[in-house]
Amino acid sequence: MRMVDPMIMELEQEAATTRRVLERVPGDKLGWRPHLKSRTLGQLAMHVATTPGALAELAHLETFAFENAPGDVEPKSVKDIVDAHDAGLLKAKQHLAHMDDAKAMGTWRGTMGGKSIFETPRIGLLRGIMLNHWYHHRGQLSVYLRELNVPVPSIYGPSADENPFGEAGQN
């Protein structure tokens, strides 16, 4: 088993949960934001949708200049977001399928203005940014949904709105 194989399994499991959260995004509220300094709902949902594919692709590079990172995307519909999620998952799995252990342990560098500001083994980039960063923003998105009074789906167990365990799981 390669080092990335458990990540691929985790990615597939978490993608199903992420898709449920993204499907709850209300299409008529994509421009809403909880604070002036916050991303819009649409921008955050698109960031969540595209993170795994974008990071798996970046992990194949030796170096990435952060000043070349794309800005936030404002989607036109929830379908755009869900389609981006599905395409990003496929892209992530394709990139990870071609990563052997030597590549996974190789050093990846992030630069700004030509200076190295972030250096990690690729496997660390994948765990810390592709997955953990993704979960962090999915959690933010669930708070946006709560603020908009949208029922929050079960993520790792019951939410206040949904109990995957049925009545037996109620406290």
Side-chain angles (χ1 to χ4, degrees), residues 23 31 43 63 85:
E23 288 171 339
Q43 289 168 338
T63 303
H85 169 268

Side-chain angles (χ1 to χ4, degrees), residues 3 99-108 120-124:
M3 295 175 78
M99 187 173 291
D100 61 22
D101 287 353
K103 181 84 169 181
M105 288 305 297
T107 300
W108 184 91
T120 186
R122 280 180 188 80
I123 198 79

Side-chain angles (χ1 to χ4, degrees), residues 85-139:
H85 169 268
D86 294 347
L89 174 62
L90 180 62
K91 183 198 278 189
K93 288 168 42 177
Q94 288 170 340
H95 280 286
L96 294 176
H98 294 97
M99 187 173 291
D100 61 22
D101 287 353
K103 181 84 169 181
M105 288 305 297
T107 300
W108 184 91
R109 288 177 186 78
T111 64
M112 182 67 82
K115 295 182 181 171
S116 183
I117 60 168
F118 185 72
E119 197 171 299
T120 186
R122 280 180 188 80
I123 198 79
L125 176 74
L126 294 170
R127 166 55 57 203
I129 309 292
M130 184 185 78
L131 293 176
N132 294 351
H133 175 83
W134 187 38
Y135 306 148
H136 160 75
H137 284 299
R138 183 178 68 193

Side-chain angles (χ1 to χ4, degrees), residues 140-153 159-161:
Q140 277 186 309
L141 185 57
S142 72
V143 173
Y144 277 39
L145 295 179
R146 173 66 64 225
E147 289 296 313
L148 290 168
N149 204 30
V150 173
V152 176
S159 74
D161 304 304

